[in-house]
Amino acid sequence: MKQTKTKKLILTAILTAAALVAFTIEAAIPPLTPIYGIKLGIANVFTLFTLYAVGKPYAAAVLFLRITLGSIFTGQLVSFIYSLTGGVLSFLLMLLLRRFFPVKQLWVLSALCAVMHNAGQLAAAMLMTSTVQLIYYLPVLIVSGIIAGVFTGLCAQLVLLRMNTEKLILGG
Amino acid sequence: MKNRIWIIIFSVTVLVCTAVWIGLSFFPSPSKIVGIYQNGSLVEKVDLTAQTGERSIELNGDYGKNIISVTHGRIEMKSADCPDKLCVKHGELKSAGSPIVCLPNRIVIKFENQSGSADAEAGALL
Ligand SMILES: [Zn+2]
């Protein structure tokens, strides 16, 4: 099955909408811990899915549209700058490492990127508040990044394998 | 790399980080001098042992007012207008490893080193 550009754009739009829904729902749930940056990041399932099933630029679109629109919709403008810093850094790592990880190891890539995301957010927070002591939160953010990243990665991975999407959409 | 190797790498990392985190969070601070910072600069230093009765400190930020409560040996964010209220949920400041942070209003409450000066200088450099 050949994938036309139009089809890819439509897929990207649908995936962006789905990611936004997931982000909005997650934002409505009260945080489990009084620590910034500990969350599951369900929306990332859609970014990962897009990266593997559609392509790199499309995944970038899903991610950055979701961060921008999501921050506006949920009114979380405070966290926008942190989300964006974390998002950019983790996406760069994702692009860099994508070719080393087949779908079956997507969970590894996802975990690495989630850790990068949390570290990036923490760095942004340290700069914004000029507080070096926030580094104390690095260990707990690494742990939460690995757990959340493995979970979201497995979600995307299982869907991709079930659909055999890599073959189906990318044409082998 | 095989899945098994990654499972080992992640497990070890999780264990080490959890241990470090627990160590930092439950090790009570030897110092009872607390620094209150906003926008990275020191607003006030409070000696918790010297405090008698209750005292409130008000700070205003971009997202409204935060009220810090100080009693003998204890400091906490009593109320805040920030959207997430994570600073209030943090509760009492217990260890150097988990400062009270209000990101929206850019407030940090943390234990100072006994000397205190080295920290202040590091803060000023940023
Ligand atoms: Zn707050």
Side-chain angles (χ1 to χ4, degrees):
Chain A
M1 186 160 63
K2 201 174 172 286
Q3 204 179 24
T4 63
K5 199 160 190 182
T6 317
K7 200 173 154 193
K8 284 187 177 182
L9 280 176
I10 293 168
L11 254 176
T12 306
I14 295 170
L15 288 163
T16 306
L20 260 173
V21 170
F23 179 80
T24 312
I25 292 173
E26 201 180 344
I29 300 169
L32 294 168
T33 56
I35 298 165
Y36 289 93
I38 294 194
K39 54 188 272 184
L40 210 42
I42 290 287
N44 210 39
V45 174
F46 298 96
T47 314
L48 289 165
F49 180 90
T50 314
L51 179 71
Y52 278 75
V54 191
K56 286 175 179 173
Y58 301 93
V62 169
L63 177 68
F64 294 111
L65 283 172
R66 191 264 294 163
I67 292 176
T68 312
L69 295 174
S71 297
I72 295 170
F73 290 169
T74 58
Q76 292 184 335
L77 290 175
V78 192
S79 56
F80 176 72
I81 189 78
Y82 308 114
S83 289
L84 195 64
T85 313
V88 169
L89 288 174
S90 82
F91 193 71
L92 287 177
L93 189 71
M94 208 185 274
L95 292 183
L96 207 68
L97 300 181
R98 162 69 181 91
R99 62 201 176 97
F100 301 112
F101 296 96
V103 177
K104 279 187 176 167
Q105 283 200 315
L106 204 168
W107 67 276
V108 177
L109 178 65
S110 172
L112 294 175
C113 291
V115 170
M116 184 56 151
H117 178 271
N118 285 358
Q121 280 199 328
L122 186 67
M126 284 167 69
L127 282 176
M128 296 278 289
T129 60
S130 316
T131 308
V132 194
Q133 278 73 17
L134 292 183
I135 197 81
Y136 283 128
Y137 288 110
L138 188 62
V140 74
L141 286 175
I142 290 175
V143 172
S144 91
I146 289 177
I147 294 169
V150 167
F151 177 79
T152 53
L154 278 178
C155 287
Q157 179 177 329
L158 292 177
V159 173
L160 283 162
L161 289 174
R162 195 59 68 84
M163 290 172 63
N164 203 6
T165 317
E166 209 173 23
K167 261 186 185 164
L168 194 80
I169 297 185
L170 296 178
Chain B
M1 272 196 272
K2 286 203 170 111
N3 273 344
R4 197 188 303 162
I5 296 170
W6 283 109
I7 292 173
I8 294 169
I9 292 174
F10 287 143
S11 306
V12 169
T13 313
V14 166
L15 284 176
V16 170
C17 289
T18 308
V20 171
W21 170 247
I22 290 174
L24 284 174
S25 318
F26 291 92
F27 189 72
S29 169
S31 151
K32 284 289 168 192
I33 314 281
V34 172
I36 300 168
Y37 294 80
Q38 191 168 27
N39 298 316
S41 48
L42 184 71
V43 176
E44 194 175 335
K45 258 187 200 180
V46 184
D47 185 352
L48 294 186
T49 50
Q51 179 69 33
T52 51
E54 187 178 353
R55 187 182 150 215
S56 294
I57 300 165
E58 282 186 21
L59 289 175
N60 287 297
D62 294 345
Y63 291 83
K65 197 198 303 180
N66 287 42
I67 299 172
I68 301 161
S69 149
V70 191
T71 49
H72 182 75
R74 183 185 166 92
I75 186 164
E76 67 181 331
M77 190 73 79
K78 200 164 192 180
S79 73
D81 293 337
C82 62
D84 54 59
K85 307 268 189 290
L86 288 180
C87 49
V88 179
K89 285 179 197 145
H90 182 285
E92 180 190 351
L93 179 67
K94 284 194 180 119
S95 73
S98 53
I100 299 175
V101 182
C102 182
L103 277 187
N105 282 336
R106 298 193 196 175
I107 295 166
V108 176
I109 305 169
K110 62 177 190 69
F111 284 112
E112 300 287 348
N113 293 335
Q114 210 74 47
S115 60
S117 59
D119 251 15
E121 276 162 26
L125 279 174
L126 272 168

